[in-house]
Amino acid sequence: MCGIVGLVKKNNCAEAEIASMLKSINHRGPDGEGIFVHQNIGLGHKRLSIIDLATGQQPMCNSEKNIWITYNGELYNYQQLKKELQNAGHFFKTNSDTEVIIYAYKHWGTSCLSRFRGMFAFCIADLSKQELFLARDIFGIKPLVYCTDKDFFAFSSEINGIKNLISNDNLSGSVEAIEYFLRYQYIPAPQTIYKNINKLEQGHYLIVDFDGNIIKNESYFTFNDTFAIHAESSNFDWEQNVEQALEESVNAHLLSDVPLGLFLSGGIDSTLIAYLLRKITSAKIKAFTISFTEQKHDELKFAQEVSNKYDFELIHEVVEPDSLSVLSHLINEHCGEPFGDASVVPTYYLSKLARQHVPLVLSGDGGDEIFGGYYSYIKWMRNNPPDALHAKWTYKEYAGIPRFIAGSTKKFLLNNCNFNILSEWTDQLTITEKNIRKKIWNNDFQYLLSKKNTAFAQTHKEWKKTDRFTYAQLMDIHTYLPYSVLAKVDIASMAVGLEVRPPILDKNISKFIYSLPLNQKYQKYKGKFEGKFILKKILQKHFSDDFIFRHKQGFTAPLNHWFLENSLGNKLIREKILDNKNLLNTFFNVSEIEQIIKEHSLENDQSGFLWQMFVLCIWFENNKEINFI
């Protein structure tokens, strides 16, 4: 992993400007720094060395020195691409995947993106064409933000790499983004908290001329383009096929010149990676996990069971309520905007623990999205009108059936004969309910409640005709996965200079989103609906049903306990939220928020909302100069 920055100015660009941008993301690359400046453009790079330790320095150029790149990520098929390019007459000076991207662009142009298998964000400066070519991987594993200002175009791995370029007069905050943050716990792309800084969306690329104008912003990948497996008969072995594909992906993700470890929570996805790792290699591997003193949230015993079974050295640490003190550092120094996924805190401590031993780990991220593991998908299927009608009939709720049919039919017709209704999906995943948002927003901002987010609307438009289960997966893959799950991992891991690779989020694995039959993702087992069923079947040969089909815990801090009255967490949030100097008063009715703090209990859990308010206070505290008018 690395950090990248770049700048196109109306006049000449200075090395000092690129150096200043790099200083803001110094944590992303402890192993080296490079700068390239040509007239009015500049590229910068912070390096975390994983492949080709000796000759992989960046920015890197081709032999003619007219194509330059700054790149963050890994290409897992770069050796195959290198051979293909060598056969086409290209010569290489290094053993790095960076140089392969340069010559792939030179040979295939922007269509090179369709050949890349990996996680990446990069910018190529083509001096001959007088253009920048920026791109991001298909899942959005690696971040990239950009800004178009009247005096410059800039990009960076993180918001803070750009923010200081913009004068306070021009640094405008988006109050709409605050509303979206309250709804979803993150700000969906392309927006950020700033009006003039945007996220490049997953699977997109930009073409920017040397005057700083964006001349193209296009998607280069869609998940229905992934090749499908066609079962020739009812005897088709999906289980074997999925396991083989995952094993091949894990093997590809081992490509490295440094030692690696494993994030091991003891859940289905990390356990699967552990099982496949041990199939591939007998090497000594360190596994890392964190635990909590709150028993309900602690899964250490499961991680220990997996570690013992596969002979990993398990290293663990207990995360206590005082760990919340790191949040200000993560939000202000690394994220650069409000970010409400509370698991960023334990993920930070997990990353910090791992970095003391290895520079690279594998993770199980993406299993829930690709194979359908979230409880929200089961709820979504349960609320499918045909299924809900069947349930009413089964439980003899005959009186309500005519009204239910009439209402469902009306919705179906209004939604162009489709049961995938966007408002029902977004209502289901909303963190802070609309009635609470209505209570807390000051009168001047009540209009925000009716604002529709373009990221969800665009994704719905593209996938609304998909079957209901796949629709839910694809909605998450285009929103929650890149801008919450993967953003969290990037924030937490890059804060300590750790590379995290998720083998399940692989181009070759993405074919299963469409090709896998519904009963391999979701079916009833021992009277209970189970998601991610095929992964559980693979592991069922190696672990007990009590291990495989236990209640899904998720990886997050026990905020419901930490925010109880008279606790350290409760004291912290009160200090922040009830501080009269906090900008929270500008937007919200703080007395209503105080009432919710009082009402929080284990039975009336308001910790998700309180966490969001806590995060907003921390961000406001460090950004008092931002103009939201």
Side-chain angles (χ1 to χ4, degrees), residues 14-16 30 37 86 99 259 330 367 464 504 544 594:
E15 281 195 20
V37 171
Q86 284 173 326
E99 193 177 17
L330 293 176
K464 63 183 177 182
I504 298 175
S544 69
E594 184 177 15

Side-chain angles (χ1 to χ4, degrees), residues 567-581:
S567 67
L568 174 63
N570 187 280
K571 181 182 177 182
L572 282 172
I573 61 174
R574 280 182 169 276
E575 285 177 356
K576 294 291 183 186
I577 292 172
L578 304 183
D579 181 358
N580 289 331
K581 297 177 183 177

Side-chain angles (χ1 to χ4, degrees), residues 20-173:
S20 177
M21 295 174 74
L22 286 174
K23 186 176 179 181
S24 299
I25 61 166
N26 194 58
H27 49 275
R28 297 186 71 93
D31 298 327
E33 177 176 304
I35 293 173
F36 166 72
V37 171
H38 173 76
Q39 296 175 358
N40 69 319
I41 69 153
L43 304 178
H45 188 265
K46 293 296 300 185
R47 189 182 188 203
L48 172 59
S49 302
I50 301 293
I51 292 175
D52 191 20
L53 307 187
T55 61
Q57 292 83 3
Q58 298 182 49
M60 186 182 289
C61 65
N62 64 337
S63 56
E64 294 84 5
K65 297 188 177 181
N66 60 356
I67 298 174
W68 288 80
I69 188 172
T70 184
Y71 157 59
N72 171 26
E74 308 290 352
L75 283 193
Y76 304 119
N77 64 338
Y78 85 94
Q79 292 170 332
Q80 299 95 303
L81 290 173
K82 184 175 182 178
K83 288 177 184 177
E84 192 174 347
L85 290 163
Q86 284 173 326
N87 290 337
H90 297 284
F91 297 93
F92 291 82
K93 295 180 180 178
T94 76
N95 295 314
S96 70
D97 54 346
T98 309
E99 193 177 17
V100 170
I101 295 177
I102 291 173
Y103 285 101
Y105 167 75
K106 182 178 180 180
H107 192 74
W108 293 301
T110 57
S111 64
C112 65
L113 292 168
S114 65
R115 296 172 178 267
F116 294 161
R117 177 188 182 186
M119 54 181 186
F120 56 82
F122 65 75
C123 175
I124 288 175
D126 189 327
L127 305 188
S128 299
K129 290 185 177 180
Q130 298 279 286
E131 288 178 351
L132 298 184
F133 168 43
L134 300 94
R136 195 175 179 198
D137 67 75
I138 63 172
F139 288 105
I141 302 170
K142 292 293 94 196
L144 193 62
V145 295
Y146 64 93
C147 170
T148 303
D149 187 82
K150 62 183 178 63
D151 296 320
F152 64 83
F153 169 88
F155 68 87
S156 175
S157 297
E158 297 179 8
I159 287 172
N160 287 349
I162 295 175
K163 178 184 167 186
N164 292 337
L165 294 171
I166 308 169
S167 67
N168 285 346
D169 292 340
N170 293 330
L171 197 60
S172 300

Side-chain angles (χ1 to χ4, degrees), residues 272-342:
L272 183 66
I273 302 300
Y275 158 63
L276 295 171
L277 257 177
R278 191 46 81 212
K279 279 184 72 176
I280 294 165
T281 177
S282 59
K284 286 289 184 183
I285 296 174
K286 290 181 170 70
F288 307 95
T289 194
I290 53 97
S291 60
F292 303 99
T293 53
E294 292 78 10
Q295 193 64 35
K296 186 178 177 182
H297 291 262
D298 187 39
E299 294 195 296
L300 177 60
K301 66 178 181 180
F302 299 111
Q304 189 67 65
E305 181 178 345
V306 178
S307 182
N308 291 343
K309 186 177 184 68
Y310 296 122
D311 191 27
F312 292 147
E313 180 187 348
L314 184 66
I315 301 169
H316 98 280
E317 192 172 275
V318 178
V319 176
E320 302 280 6
D322 60 3
S323 65
L324 294 179
S325 60
V326 78
L327 187 62
S328 178
H329 172 67
L330 293 176
I331 295 299
N332 292 316
E333 302 302 320
H334 299 284
C335 186
E337 68 178 355
F339 181 76
D341 189 333

Side-chain angles (χ1 to χ4, degrees), residues 523-530 533 540 545 549:
Q523 66 170 269
K524 189 173 274 190
Y525 183 77
K526 293 185 177 180
K528 189 178 80 169
F529 278 107
E530 297 282 350
F533 196 73
Q540 204 174 8
D545 276 14
F549 296 102

